[in-house]
Structures are given as structure tokens and as C-alpha cells.
């Protein structure tokens, strides 16, 4: 079983739609969680950290469910510019190494 | 803004060649990382460094070595390139252990023929 699992997609949604991605992780001792965004042929960039109580940044909401070992990302009012691959990232241990999921591709269309 | 610069965007090398991938960061970050990214496998950690002259193996260090002689520079070395090392290589830096956000360079797409 992969340490961090994501549905690869693609998720094809129209502009203005709401879309949600989930990501599951295998290690219950995981300490911190992030969503990164990667545009085609570009480097990953931090989208947002994920806090235990859930957090929001504009149209983006991240949630953490430790009991079920998953994190989620909700995007409201999707824009064409949201088209990208979204990487779920988990820090498992004391070395603070990050483990990346393989990403979920989102395509927002007119 | 943090800037992480990788010396080449594209490289083509032959099997058996020694290959150097260079990465420089300009924010005085303590930690630096090398990953490779392959379709369906995501980013996998090759090596990382907590500080100058320190290095730790990541998940897939075989066939690679690293060098960190100066804080701002972290080099990845392929001692004898092989075709299975054809990949996208991404360098990242992080301010410290406590601030666990990584900033990536634009990547080097290496083809080994």
C-alpha cells in the first residue's frame, strides 16, 4: 500500500463548479499535511498547509480527518486557472521528510 | 521571494557518463533536497542535506551521490548515468526543520541515451 494515495483523475469540471479531492495516508503518526499545486511542466508550489481544525484560503478549504487518515481539498467556484495537478503531501516522522502523493489532475473547462 | 535555481532545464547524456546537476538557493536555507519525478510514481526523495557537509539518504539513493560544500549549493551526481535515470529532477530548499515548507526549483529534465 502506498504511503500517500490520491485518485489520479482527471477531474473535468466546468467553470464555477465545486470540486473536492481526497487523499489517504497510511501512517497514523503523521505530523503535518500540505497541499501543493503543480502546473504542467512546472515545479510544485505550496498551495496551503492543512490544520487539524480545517482551514480556508479564499475559494480553497482544506480538512484533516485523523481518525480516518485522510485529508481533503475543496475548491469552490472553479476558475480556468485552477487547472493543475494537486499534490497531497504528508510529513511522517522526526526527520521532517515530506512524502508526496502522485497527484490529482484537475481540468476546468468553459 | 525564495529563489531556487537549477543550472539546466534540459540535459541529454550518454550511458556511462558522469552527470552533475547543480542547485543554488538564495535564502540562506539550512536544508536542501533532491527528488526525481516520474509519471505514476510522483516525487521520490533521493538525498537531502540538513546543513553544509551533511547528507542523508532518501528513499532511492542508489546510483546517486551528493555534495554540499557551501550552504547555498547542493549538487546531485550520477556517477555513471544509466537509461533508468532518465527523469525530471527537482531540487528543493527549506528554511529549517521547524519550518517545513519546501520551495522547488524549476527542474532539470535529464535524458540518458
Amino acid at each position: 500500500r502506498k504511503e500517500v494515495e490520491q485518485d489520479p483523475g482527471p477531474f473535468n469540471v466546468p467553470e464555477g463548479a465545486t470540486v473536492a479531492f481526497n487523499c489517504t495516508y497510511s501512517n497514523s503518526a503523521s505530523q503535518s499535511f500540505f497541499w501543493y499545486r503543480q502546473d504542467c511542466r512546472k515545479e510544485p508550489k505550496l498551495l496551503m498547509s492543512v490544520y487539524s481544525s480545517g482551514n480556508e484560503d479564499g475559494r480553497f478549504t482544506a480538512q484533516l480527518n485523523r481518525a480516518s487518515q485522510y485529508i481533503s481539498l475543496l475548491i469552490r467556484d472553479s476558475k480556468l486557472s485552477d487547472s493543475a495537478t494537486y499534490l497531497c503531501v504528508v510529513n511522517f516522522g522526526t526527520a521532517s521528510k515530506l512524502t508526496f502523493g502522485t497527484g490529482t489532475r484537475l481540468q476546468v473547462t468553459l | 521571494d525564495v529563489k531556487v535555481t537549477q543550472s539546466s532545464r534540459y540535459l541529454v547524456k550518454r550511458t556511462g557518463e558522469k552527470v552533475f546537476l547543480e542547485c543554488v538557493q538564495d535564502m540562506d536555507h539550512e536544508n536542501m533536497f533532491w527528488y526525481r519525478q516520474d509519471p505514476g510514481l510522483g516525487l521520490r526523495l533521493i538525498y537531502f542535506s540538513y546543513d553544509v557537509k551533511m547528507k542523508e539518504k532518501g528513499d532511492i539513493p542508489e546510483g546517486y551521490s551528493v555534495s554540499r560544500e557551501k550552504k547555498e549549493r547542493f549538487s546531485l551526481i550520477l556517477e555513471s548515468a544509466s537509461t533508468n535515470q532518465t527523469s525530471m529532477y527537482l531540487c528543493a530548499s527549506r528554511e529549517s526543520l521547524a519550518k517545513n515548507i519546501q520551495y522547488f526549483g524549476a527542474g532539470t529534465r535529464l535524458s540518458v541515451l
Side-chain angles (χ1 to χ4, degrees):
Chain A
R1 185 186 169 187
K2 286 183 182 177
E3 292 180 297
V4 178
E5 292 210 61
Q6 296 184 250
D7 181 343
F11 284 61
N12 294 300
V13 302
E15 248 190 325
T18 295
V19 62
F21 312 132
N22 279 346
C23 162
T24 57
Y25 59 93
S26 60
N27 189 332
S28 59
S30 300
Q31 297 176 350
S32 49
F33 309 86
F34 309 88
W35 284 102
Y36 276 68
R37 171 196 168 125
Q38 186 172 24
D39 293 302
C40 189
R41 299 187 185 281
K42 300 275 189 151
E43 72 273 23
K45 292 184 179 176
L46 179 69
L47 177 66
M48 57 197 302
S49 302
V50 185
Y51 303 120
S52 297
S53 54
N55 48 297
E56 194 173 299
D57 182 2
R59 297 181 293 109
F60 298 83
T61 300
Q63 298 276 359
L64 167 63
N65 185 318
R66 283 193 184 271
S68 301
Q69 293 181 209
Y70 75 85
I71 68 172
S72 64
L73 178 68
L74 181 80
I75 305 175
R76 289 182 300 279
D77 188 23
S78 299
K79 311 289 184 195
L80 292 174
S81 56
D82 294 335
S83 298
T85 297
Y86 291 84
L87 305 173
C88 171
V89 185
V90 179
N91 161 223
F92 286 122
T94 54
S96 290
K97 291 189 297 180
L98 298 181
T99 298
F100 288 76
T102 53
T104 297
R105 194 155 70 88
L106 171 66
Q107 184 67 50
V108 181
T109 56
L110 288 170
Chain B
D1 267 359
V2 176
K3 192 152 172 123
V4 181
T5 304
Q6 293 184 230
S7 53
S8 306
R9 288 302 305 273
Y10 301 95
L11 269 181
V12 180
K13 297 292 180 180
R14 297 210 174 271
T15 303
E17 276 193 77
K18 190 168 186 176
V19 181
F20 292 87
L21 302 183
E22 305 286 346
C23 175
V24 176
Q25 50 96 1
D26 66 356
M27 286 302 292
D28 202 35
H29 283 179
E30 290 180 3
N31 309 152
M32 297 186 74
F33 305 81
W34 275 106
Y35 296 88
R36 61 178 282 178
Q37 186 174 28
D38 301 287
L41 296 177
L43 275 85
R44 293 179 291 167
L45 181 64
I46 304 171
Y47 266 97
F48 62 105
S49 168
Y50 285 124
D51 207 339
V52 178
K53 296 192 186 295
M54 295 176 68
K55 60 185 179 184
E56 296 280 341
K57 290 181 180 179
D59 300 316
I60 52 163
E62 296 78 19
Y64 303 94
S65 62
V66 290
S67 172
R68 191 153 179 219
E69 296 297 316
K70 293 185 178 180
K71 193 172 188 179
E72 67 270 19
R73 187 180 297 270
F74 192 34
S75 304
L76 180 70
I77 303 150
L78 287 65
E79 294 290 342
S80 177
S82 63
T83 54
N84 64 12
Q85 292 179 309
T86 292
S87 187
M88 169 67 86
Y89 289 87
L90 289 158
C91 173
S93 75
R94 177 179 71 191
E95 184 174 343
S96 65
L97 264 173
K99 297 190 177 181
N100 203 3
I101 295 170
Q102 294 188 14
Y103 300 88
F104 286 85
T108 297
R109 187 165 291 281
L110 173 66
S111 296
V112 183
L113 306 177

